Amino acid sequence: MELRHMRYIITIAEYGSITKAAEVLYTTQPSLSHCVAKAEQELNVKLFDRSTSPMTLTYAGETFVRRARQMLELNQTMEREFRDISANRKGRLRIGFPHERATFMLPEILPLFRREYPGMDLQIMTAGSAQLREALDKGRIDFYIAPFDGKVPSYEAIPVASEELVFAAARNTIAEELCLKEDPSCIDLSKTAGLQYNLLKKGHSIRNTMEDLFAKAGIRPEHIAETTSNLTALRLACAGVGIAIVPEMTLYITDRADGIDVFHIGKDPVVWQICGIFRTGTYIGTVERRFLAIAAEAYNQIKEQRYSSFFRRPEQ
C-alpha cells in the first residue's frame, strides 16, 4: 500500500467524512472511496462503519490508523536522516505557529532561511495552541514554535528565545503608588486588584500564566473583556479599556506603541521560554535545527534594537 493512501485513510478518519476529506486533500470523492475499498479488500477487513454519521472507525480501522501513523512517522524520520547524511538541501518542512507569532516571526525568519535553503518546500500552519498540539500529535506538522513550560512529557523542546510578559496600560493612567518604590518601571501586581483586565480566553497559555500571577499576588481582579488575541488586548488597553498583560512580542507588532505605558511585572521579570516543540523521540535534523537557530537570531536582534524603548515611568 502506498504511503499517500495511508494519509488518505487517516484524513477520512479524522474528518469522519469522505466528502470533507476530499476537500482537504484536493482530490475527488470517488478516488477516496476507491482507496478505502481497495485497502479493505487487501486487508480483508472493514475499516469504517458507514452506518454512522460521521463515519467511525471499526476496531480494525483503529488499528490501521494507529499503525499507519507510525509508518508515516518512521518514513519522515528516515527522510530526515538521509537528508542529513547526503547533505541534501531539498525536502519538506511543516511548521506551526500561533497566529500572532507568525505575523511577527515569519517575515523575519523566512527571507534568511530561504537564502540558505532555496529548495526547501515550507508548509506553514497558523492556528491556536490546541489546534497546533493536535496537528503535532497527528503528524500533520513536524514541529511548532510557541511558549513551552516543559510540563508535557510527550513533547521535547529546543529553546529559541526568552520572552518577558509585560504589564501595559493607556498612557499616564497608572499611578506611581502602584509601582515598586525602588523602581517605578516595575508594577506591584498585588496593588492592582481594583483595576480591570483584558483576559485571553481560557485555554490560552498566557491566560493560564496570568491566573498564576494573580494567585501569587493574592488578588482576583475583574475582567472587562475576553479575547483570543494578545494584540486585541493590548489595543484595548491603549484605548483606555482595561489592562493588558502580553508577551513582549506583542509590543513589536502593535502600531500604537505611543499610546501605552509598559511596565515590568514585579522586581524580577516574568519570563517564559519560546521553543521549537517536537514529539518526544522525533529525529530532529540539521534543517530543523537551522530554522530554529535563524528564528533565535532574528528574535534576539529585534529585541536588542527595540525592547528597552517601550518601558516608561509614570509622570510625576
Side-chain angles (χ1 to χ4, degrees), residues 73 126 224 271:
E73 184 173 351
T126 58
I224 195 169
V271 174

Side-chain angles (χ1 to χ4, degrees), residues 63 79 114 206 281 308 314:
T63 302
E79 288 178 351
R114 280 293 187 199
I206 198 164
S308 61

Side-chain angles (χ1 to χ4, degrees), residues 166-178:
V166 298
F167 179 103
R171 178 64 55 81
N172 299 326
T173 58
I174 298 301
E176 188 173 0
E177 54 263 28
L178 298 183

Side-chain angles (χ1 to χ4, degrees), residues 69-297:
R69 282 185 173 140
Q70 291 173 347
M71 293 174 72
L72 289 172
E73 184 173 351
L74 183 62
N75 181 70
Q76 290 166 6
T77 297
M78 183 177 67
E79 288 178 351
R80 293 190 195 110
E81 288 178 331
F82 279 95
R83 182 187 64 200
D84 285 352
I85 291 170
S86 65
N88 187 355
R89 303 176 75 82
K90 296 182 179 180
R92 181 185 66 175
L93 198 56
R94 303 169 304 162
I95 311 167
F97 283 86
H99 294 290
E100 288 172 6
R101 198 162 293 282
T103 299
F104 164 58
M105 297 185 74
L106 287 177
E108 305 299 330
I109 299 170
L110 292 193
L112 301 174
F113 183 80
R114 280 293 187 199
R115 280 200 285 270
E116 290 192 32
Y117 295 92
M120 189 64 59
D121 175 21
L122 277 178
Q123 298 179 5
I124 305 296
M125 174 184 180
T126 58
S129 299
Q131 290 79 14
L132 290 173
R133 288 192 294 269
E134 180 183 13
L136 183 65
D137 291 339
K138 292 184 175 180
R140 294 201 292 266
I141 55 177
D142 300 317
F143 66 94
Y144 67 94
I145 295 180
F148 184 65
D149 59 11
K151 295 179 181 179
V152 184
S154 58
Y155 295 163
E156 59 184 273
I158 295 178
V160 172
S162 295
E163 183 175 74
E164 184 175 357
L165 305 184
V166 298
F167 179 103
R171 178 64 55 81
N172 299 326
T173 58
I174 298 301
E176 188 173 0
E177 54 263 28
L178 298 183
C179 302
L180 297 181
K181 292 181 179 180
E182 63 272 25
D183 188 349
S185 71
C186 300
I187 201 78
D188 185 343
L189 208 61
S190 66
K191 297 178 180 179
T192 68
L195 302 180
Q196 293 180 314
Y197 282 81
N198 302 312
L199 301 179
L200 265 70
K201 291 185 179 296
K202 287 187 178 293
H204 287 259
S205 298
I206 198 164
R207 174 65 179 267
N208 298 334
T209 302
M210 288 175 70
E211 290 179 347
D212 289 343
L213 290 172
F214 294 149
K216 290 178 182 177
I219 62 172
R220 295 185 65 182
E222 296 182 20
H223 72 270
I224 195 169
E226 279 193 335
T227 178
T228 59
S229 164
N230 287 307
L231 186 57
T232 299
L234 182 63
R235 286 182 166 179
L236 286 172
C238 177
V241 181
I243 303 299
I245 291 179
V246 296
E248 65 182 66
M249 169 206 70
T250 312
L251 302 177
Y252 304 136
I253 58 177
T254 184
D255 56 0
R256 301 186 180 182
D258 290 340
I260 55 174
D261 283 331
V262 180
F263 302 85
H264 303 287
I265 301 172
K267 183 178 180 180
D268 298 315
V270 177
V271 174
W272 62 13
Q273 295 296 317
I274 307 304
C275 299
I277 302 169
F278 299 78
R279 286 168 295 181
T280 298
T282 298
Y283 177 83
I284 304 173
T286 301
V287 174
E288 289 81 5
R289 293 183 185 277
R290 184 58 188 145
F291 187 95
L292 294 175
I294 290 172
E297 293 165 8

Side-chain angles (χ1 to χ4, degrees), residues 15-33:
Y15 287 91
S17 164
I18 289 178
T19 301
K20 291 181 180 178
E23 293 174 359
V24 171
L25 295 167
Y26 300 102
T27 187
T28 65
Q29 296 180 44
S31 65
L32 290 187
S33 296

